[in-house]
Amino acid sequence: MQRLRLDMARIQAASRAIDPVFLGTPHYRCEALGSELGCMVSLKVESVNPVRSFKGRGTELIANGLADSGERAVVCASAGNLGQALAWSGRSRGLDVTVVASRYAPVVKLDRIRALGARLELVDGDYDTACARAAAIARSRGIRQIEDGVDVETCDGAATIGIELASDPQPLDTVVVALGTGALASGVGFAVKAMTPEVEVICVQPRGAPAMTRSWHARCVVTTNSVDTIADGVAGRIPNPDALQDLLVVVDDAVLVREASIVAGMRLLLNHAGLVVEPSAALGIAAILEDRDRFAGRRVATIVCGGNVDMDAYHRWIGTVSGDADPVPAGEHGTHRG
């Protein structure tokens, strides 16, 4: 394996440093879902923990490091899940956590950030606008800025999911991973490839937020001017070069899916697995739906990466799926353009 930022010994040590509440999440074959999709589907459910997403694995490492070094304050930009996780991990260690988020982020995510004791600052704009504001706060206060996919601890934490997948006695052919900043895809991909190099790793983004996927195919950073997707957790415009380089080493393919397929995936996860998920968590199912022949008969694992979803929006989406028609009326995607 080519040289990159991730290191297996460090990731294995990370597993011992993360609060066990985030580890050993359910991984099981969902026969009903597999019958519907024409392949053997297993689900790695990362939404059954105090922050309802995989992000706590990385923020535990970050908060441990900050506390050990004597730092008392930290700032991050977040689409919602990283902010919750950093607030949760920081609270028990006495850290002053500031989270910058778009005011267009799902209210449920913003409310939980506040409830966990973090200082929340809202910006008029999207995730990348929030990143710029977080950087300004870090400079003015002289504190560390955490950026998902950039700070390697976020990738190391995600990689512990890959260790758990690769350690499962049931062999896999393919792992399908949601792609946003790259922390989840690169971390999981690195661990899976290190332990089971024959397993294919595919990452998935919405067509309405394609920057990292376009960058992966171009093998250089490609930015976009706007995003337009209900999958707010993966809606970035400006990929990080280091995160991209990791992905180029450990990922076999990157694909884009339609909004209708994301919502159809959410409905399938509800109907066949009893799981209420946020749109980003359904990207893997959406990819299978759009390319059934590619996955036919294969043993496919997908990561249910989060369950923080606005329930009013969820019921609107789930109640309006009809074939391949776009189930989301214009203006209701919930992610700010520009």
Side-chain angles (χ1 to χ4, degrees), residues 169-329:
Q170 297 296 320
L172 295 170
D173 296 313
T174 305
V175 175
V176 188
V177 192
L179 176 60
T181 62
L184 181 62
S186 64
V188 169
F190 175 82
V192 167
K193 288 293 188 182
M195 298 175 66
T196 52
E198 71 280 4
V199 174
E200 180 184 38
V201 177
I202 301 172
C203 49
V204 190
Q205 272 191 314
R207 289 187 181 184
M212 187 63 95
T213 298
R214 289 181 181 174
S215 299
W216 188 89
H217 285 282
R219 304 190 71 83
C220 63
V221 170
V222 177
T223 63
T224 60
N225 293 326
S226 63
V227 293
D228 187 17
T229 178
I230 61 172
D232 58 285
V234 295
R237 295 182 288 109
I238 307 171
N240 175 264
D242 292 332
L244 173 61
Q245 288 304 309
D246 292 340
L247 287 173
L248 291 173
V249 176
V250 303
V251 167
D252 296 299
D253 198 6
V255 301
L256 299 172
V257 295
R258 299 187 300 269
E259 297 295 294
S261 300
I262 299 171
V263 175
M266 294 169 70
R267 171 176 271 191
L268 286 173
L269 285 165
L270 176 63
N271 290 344
H272 294 298
L275 295 173
V276 175
V277 306
E278 60 187 272
S280 301
L283 286 169
I285 302 300
I288 300 171
L289 279 169
E290 291 200 4
D291 198 352
R292 289 173 181 265
D293 289 345
R294 176 176 189 170
F295 297 97
R298 294 178 68 81
R299 296 162 296 189
V300 184
T302 187
I303 299 165
V304 179
C305 54
N308 291 302
V309 60
D310 179 279
M311 292 308 298
D312 288 338
Y314 180 85
H315 289 304
R316 288 199 306 274
W317 299 329
I318 295 303
T320 54
V321 176
S322 178
D324 288 334
D326 186 350
V328 185

Side-chain angles (χ1 to χ4, degrees), residues 43-64:
L43 303 175
K44 181 66 167 165
V45 185
E46 290 293 311
S47 56
V48 286
N49 62 54
V51 297
R52 301 187 191 179
S53 81
F54 76 95
K55 303 282 189 181
R57 295 181 185 242
T59 59
E60 282 291 282
L61 302 177
I62 290 165
N64 279 341

Side-chain angles (χ1 to χ4, degrees), residues 7-265:
D7 174 79
M8 200 62 185
R10 193 179 66 228
I11 292 163
Q12 289 169 334
S15 294
R16 298 187 291 271
I18 296 169
D19 189 320
V21 74
F22 295 107
L23 301 175
T25 50
H27 178 216
Y28 64 95
R29 181 177 169 187
C30 184
E31 293 187 12
L33 194 53
S35 296
E36 177 74 24
L37 295 173
C39 57
M40 290 167 279
V41 178
S42 64
L43 303 175
K44 181 66 167 165
V45 185
E46 290 293 311
S47 56
V48 286
N49 62 54
V51 297
R52 301 187 191 179
S53 81
F54 76 95
K55 303 282 189 181
R57 295 181 185 242
T59 59
E60 282 291 282
L61 302 177
I62 290 165
N64 279 341
L66 289 168
D68 289 347
S69 65
E71 296 185 61
R72 308 314 307 166
V74 62
V75 61
C76 76
S78 176
N81 286 344
L82 179 68
Q84 288 181 68
L86 188 59
W88 191 91
S89 296
R91 184 175 62 178
S92 63
R93 296 165 177 86
L95 298 177
D96 176 1
V97 177
T98 299
V99 179
V100 185
S102 169
R103 68 177 66 257
Y104 306 102
V107 173
V108 63
K109 295 184 178 182
L110 301 180
D111 286 347
R112 288 178 182 155
I113 290 169
R114 294 186 185 98
L116 288 165
R119 180 183 295 109
L120 179 63
E121 179 173 325
L122 301 178
V123 297
D124 289 313
D126 58 12
Y127 171 76
D128 294 291
T129 306
C131 283
R133 175 57 186 157
I137 292 171
R139 288 192 299 269
S140 66
R141 294 179 58 189
I143 62 176
R144 182 174 169 185
Q145 177 193 5
I146 302 303
E147 192 170 348
D148 209 17
V150 177
D151 289 273
V152 75
E153 298 98 324
T154 62
C155 306
D156 289 347
T160 62
I161 301 170
I163 290 178
E164 292 172 13
L165 282 171
S167 300
D168 195 287
Q170 297 296 320
L172 295 170
D173 296 313
T174 305
V175 175
V176 188
V177 192
L179 176 60
T181 62
L184 181 62
S186 64
V188 169
F190 175 82
V192 167
K193 288 293 188 182
M195 298 175 66
T196 52
E198 71 280 4
V199 174
E200 180 184 38
V201 177
I202 301 172
C203 49
V204 190
Q205 272 191 314
R207 289 187 181 184
M212 187 63 95
T213 298
R214 289 181 181 174
S215 299
W216 188 89
H217 285 282
R219 304 190 71 83
C220 63
V221 170
V222 177
T223 63
T224 60
N225 293 326
S226 63
V227 293
D228 187 17
T229 178
I230 61 172
D232 58 285
V234 295
R237 295 182 288 109
I238 307 171
N240 175 264
D242 292 332
L244 173 61
Q245 288 304 309
D246 292 340
L247 287 173
L248 291 173
V249 176
V250 303
V251 167
D252 296 299
D253 198 6
V255 301
L256 299 172
V257 295
R258 299 187 300 269
E259 297 295 294
S261 300
I262 299 171
V263 175

